[in-house]
Amino acid sequence: MTPCPHHPPPPTAPGASVTEPPSFTLLPGAPESPVLLHVPHSARRVPTDARAGIVLDDAALDRELDHITDAHTALLAERAAELAHGVPWRFVNEVSRLVVDPERFPDDREEMAAVGMGAVYTRTTQQGVLRADGYAPEPLLARYFRPYAAAMTQAVEERLAAAGRAVVIDVHSYPSAPLPYELHGSGPRPPVCLGTDPFHTPPELRDAARAAFAECGGTGLDSPFAGTYVPLAHYGRDRRVSALMVEIRRDTYMTEPGGPPGPGLDRLAGALARLVEALQGL
């Protein structure tokens, strides 16, 4: 779901200004690499059109961004790409998930809608009001969600055409203590949680991730967060697209909730680079 320097950019989303920064970026890797590092929740930017519908004042919004943002995960993916032999492709969301969450279903399939956190959030991490009741999400879906989905689908299609397969590694982080919005926050919270899908996560992908992150304090499966991101055009249909979510507990690499990165970031970047290298050869 994003533009590449070697391709024309996707069409401007409805209502968007041509002078605005892009809402997502595709950073090219090795032409033959099947690996696509997907970084959907690292940004804090809230464009003016999205800010207008948020009822929080600026200080409260800044606090919410501290809790909801997967801080420094774009930097983590960047450093891993620099370290890896065989550079992976990277697809990076450039706006906050408070604008839209590109990983949510935009319809009633989304279980997080039960806590006001579907594709367009109406509630905060503390379950306070983010957008007023009756907020119409369609303008944000049209401007941000659907162009992102289309560009990510194209990015996966290009990996399939170039390499015969695509491996989407979803790069996330999560807080050391559960937040009120979490539906499954009572389970284990390992240093690295690996989210899997029964169709798109083959055992060799899961095992490669466990080996790569073995020196990062331990891994667990699907707790506190499960599943992984696959474009809907491929989801449950195309086994050439494999996927894994890497959820890193924030206290292992940064000061919570929204502070600077620490030395753990480099250790995790090395582990992610090892995973990329292993996947190039699968």
Side-chain angles (χ1 to χ4, degrees):
M1 302 178 181
T2 187
C4 163
H6 304 297
H7 299 280
T12 303
S17 165
V18 295
T19 62
E20 288 182 352
S23 59
F24 49 81
T25 304
L26 179 64
L27 297 156
E32 69 283 0
S33 175
V35 181
L36 181 61
L37 299 181
H38 180 220
V39 188
H41 294 159
S42 65
R44 294 176 65 99
R45 182 164 68 90
V46 180
T48 302
D49 62 326
R51 178 68 178 94
I54 293 175
V55 302
L56 305 179
D57 63 27
D58 288 348
L61 176 58
D62 200 49
R63 288 193 298 273
E64 179 63 12
L65 287 167
D66 284 345
H67 289 291
I68 199 64
T69 303
D70 292 354
H72 316 301
T73 49
L75 177 60
L76 173 64
E78 177 184 355
R79 290 189 179 174
E82 292 170 349
L83 291 169
H85 298 290
V87 180
W89 294 65
R90 286 178 285 145
F91 192 103
V92 181
N93 190 4
E94 304 288 359
V95 297
S96 170
R97 63 196 290 193
L98 295 184
V99 179
V100 297
D101 191 330
E103 297 216 313
R104 303 286 200 241
F105 288 113
D107 51 36
D108 58 9
R109 289 173 291 178
E110 181 51 62
E111 69 168 353
M112 294 302 295
V115 289
M117 301 183 85
V120 176
Y121 297 174
T122 58
R123 294 294 180 269
T124 69
T125 53
Q126 307 298 319
Q127 289 296 276
V129 176
L130 181 72
R131 293 181 171 94
D133 290 344
Y135 182 85
E138 179 54 33
L140 293 180
L141 294 174
R143 184 165 176 179
Y144 296 101
F145 186 93
R146 294 192 189 99
Y148 189 108
M152 185 66 179
T153 301
Q154 178 183 340
V156 169
E157 288 287 350
E158 290 176 350
R159 293 303 86 222
L160 289 173
R165 61 192 177 102
V167 187
V168 179
I169 303 299
D170 227 8
V171 184
H172 290 262
S173 71
Y174 73 99
S176 56
L179 291 168
Y181 83 92
E182 294 182 25
L183 294 178
H184 310 289
S186 60
R189 303 179 83 83
V192 180
C193 163
L194 303 176
T196 66
D197 178 88
F199 187 91
H200 290 284
T201 309
E204 57 268 26
L205 172 52
R206 180 197 62 213
D207 293 346
R210 280 177 156 165
F213 288 99
E215 299 177 5
C216 296
T219 62
L221 291 178
D222 295 315
S223 177
F225 298 99
T228 188
Y229 180 84
V230 176
L232 289 177
H234 305 93
Y235 183 68
R237 303 175 183 179
D238 193 341
R239 291 192 184 275
R240 296 177 303 161
V241 180
S242 57
L244 180 80
M245 178 170 65
V246 177
E247 286 269 7
I248 299 164
R249 204 178 66 210
R250 292 176 189 158
D251 64 336
T252 67
Y253 76 93
M254 63 171 285
T255 301
E256 295 184 90
L265 186 82
D266 288 333
R267 180 176 65 252
L268 288 158
L272 184 56
R274 289 193 295 273
L275 175 59
V276 168
E277 291 171 354
L279 297 177
Q280 315 271 19
L282 286 180

